[in-house]
Amino acid sequence: EVQLQASGGGLVQAGGSLTLSCVVSGFSFDDYAIGWFRQAPGKEREGVACFSNSDGMTDYVDSARGRFTITSDNAKSTVYLQMNSLEPEDTAVYYCAALYIGKCSPDFYSYDMNYWGKGTLVTVSS
């Protein structure tokens, strides 16, 4: 059974940092690209960052580039999203998702993901 479990959200002041974790089970990292998405209150879900272990590619949307870093630990079957210089606009529920035989690219976020994890809430106070 494929599962993605996101955690690490919380309340942080503007300018602070958080690291989200997505523990995956039931599939191989090489077969999937993993992405982080977020949905702010009253807004549509949007992509944040992605990673494909098969080719080592990463991608970030403009709002995340330079502040967020996506990494993986294959031994722990975990993908991380290190978020620095957080802003109130980053407040959202963050989700991790997996795309089968997917490659990380700017187009990644427009594909229908095969699997989604439950979200973790990030709240950034001003």
Side-chain angles (χ1 to χ4, degrees):
E1 179 185 6
V2 172
Q3 289 188 334
L4 294 88
Q5 187 166 0
S7 63
L11 174 63
V12 63
Q13 289 188 332
S17 299
L18 277 177
T19 299
L20 306 183
S21 301
C22 177
V23 179
V24 305
S25 60
F27 65 79
S28 167
F29 267 167
D30 283 343
D31 292 336
Y32 288 81
I34 306 295
W36 285 96
F37 295 76
R38 67 185 182 185
Q39 187 165 19
K43 295 187 177 181
E44 293 187 355
R45 187 170 58 202
E46 63 177 359
V48 177
C50 66
F51 166 78
S52 45
N53 192 59
S54 59
D55 58 7
M57 292 297 294
T58 60
D59 183 79
Y60 302 90
V61 299
D62 288 344
S63 60
R65 192 172 296 113
R67 300 188 300 128
F68 295 1
T69 304
I70 188 168
T71 58
S72 73
D73 184 334
N74 288 4
K76 296 183 178 181
S77 298
T78 302
V79 176
Y80 302 97
L81 185 68
Q82 171 71 42
M83 304 186 294
N84 299 325
S85 302
L86 283 163
E87 305 167 351
E89 293 73 22
D90 296 315
T91 294
V93 177
Y94 284 70
Y95 302 88
C96 56
L99 178 65
Y100 182 56
I101 314 183
K103 302 295 183 182
C104 179
S105 73
D107 295 332
F108 170 87
Y109 315 101
S110 64
Y111 295 129
D112 290 330
M113 299 294 114
N114 295 101
Y115 301 101
W116 288 89
K118 292 183 179 179
T120 184
L121 176 62
V122 173
T123 303
V124 184
S125 63
S126 57

